[in-house]
Amino acid sequence: MTGGKRLGIVSVAFGTECTYPEAGRKAAELGFDHIDIGLDRLEGEEPELALPIGDRIGSTPRTGCTVRPPRKCTWEQGVAFLRQQPGIRVEPGPASLLDTAESIRAMCEEVPGLRLTLDTGWSVYCGFDPLEVADLVGHLQLRQAKPGQPQMHIDEDGDVDFPAVFAGFAAIGYQGLFSVEYFNLPDLKLPLEDPVGWSVDLMHRVRPMITA
């Protein structure tokens, strides 16, 4: 999926109680091009959805999918974990081995073929510019944020410079997916009243910035 038809939404925006078929229908009605789903929630085969699945995200490395690294492990254990399957993407984030541009680049050097699913929100929350590792990215998740504040509305004064991000990725010929990700996860101290509404607002703002 390349060109203009590559702006999706991560299913977590619809809540963990929303089934994937229902989330897919809502995402299609809202104008998204694909939906990213969590593999850990699947029971049996993948369901038929109203729009394509853009990415599959889970806790176990699977070829062609995104994995989140274990939070409590040594560097050597993290390397071994990410070497289990070739052709995976890893999602950096806070409280993990991969929370700086330097650690991300070092891990990609240790694990041949490793690519990133990079979240702009977590990047600036952790204190680095997404463009610092743009050459390693296979999938870019979009959210406004700043250090100490992981979720902000597109109209708030966050640290993600979306015009610069899209220009930078276009300059290196990026052909991967873009997915908006907001979430209401109060159990993880990440509450948000209207993640779907914020996702739609961001979608409308950034869609014109995506070049084919």
Side-chain angles (χ1 to χ4, degrees):
M1 189 185 305
T2 59
K5 305 293 286 184
R6 51 181 174 151
L7 180 56
I9 186 171
V10 183
S11 61
V12 69
F14 298 101
T16 56
E17 300 302 316
C18 186
T19 66
Y20 285 141
E22 180 66 8
R25 182 187 63 78
K26 291 179 178 180
E29 291 175 352
L30 291 168
F32 290 97
D33 301 316
H34 63 265
I35 187 168
D36 302 336
I37 65 171
L39 291 172
D40 297 344
R41 282 182 56 195
L42 284 180
E43 296 180 2
E45 296 184 0
E46 292 181 356
E48 292 291 330
L49 303 182
L51 76 181
I53 295 173
D55 193 6
R56 296 158 177 84
I57 305 166
S59 57
T60 302
R62 305 188 196 191
T63 299
C65 302
T66 294
V67 66
R68 296 186 178 97
R71 292 200 169 194
K72 294 183 180 181
C73 67
T74 66
W75 181 263
E76 291 73 19
Q77 289 170 334
V79 170
F81 175 79
L82 294 173
R83 282 180 172 174
Q84 291 181 63
Q85 289 287 336
I88 64 171
R89 290 179 300 276
V90 63
E91 182 177 351
S96 77
L97 292 173
L98 307 178
D99 59 359
T100 66
E102 293 76 18
S103 62
I104 290 167
R105 194 164 292 281
M107 182 62 75
C108 288
E109 290 175 356
E110 293 240 30
V111 182
L114 182 65
R115 303 289 288 172
L116 306 178
T117 290
L118 188 70
D119 185 319
T120 61
W122 287 134
S123 296
V124 301
Y125 179 84
C126 290
F128 67 92
D129 188 325
L131 291 176
E132 292 183 57
V133 292
D135 59 305
L136 303 173
V137 175
H139 182 181
L140 188 65
Q141 295 176 339
L142 309 170
R143 187 174 67 255
Q144 184 58 279
K146 65 182 179 181
Q149 196 165 341
Q151 301 193 86
M152 299 177 68
H153 189 269
I154 182 59
D155 290 329
E156 295 183 280
D157 188 20
D159 284 357
V160 181
D161 184 342
F162 284 106
V165 167
F166 283 101
F169 274 78
I172 63 172
Y174 177 76
Q175 288 294 308
L177 298 178
F178 299 101
S179 298
V180 177
E181 183 178 39
Y182 282 99
F183 33 74
N184 178 33
L185 299 172
D187 292 346
L188 299 178
K189 298 181 180 180
L190 294 167
L192 187 63
E193 184 176 341
D194 187 17
V196 174
W198 284 26
S199 296
V200 172
D201 290 345
L202 182 58
M203 174 191 70
H204 288 312
R205 190 70 61 84
V206 304
R207 190 183 287 279
M209 303 178 194
I210 299 177
T211 58

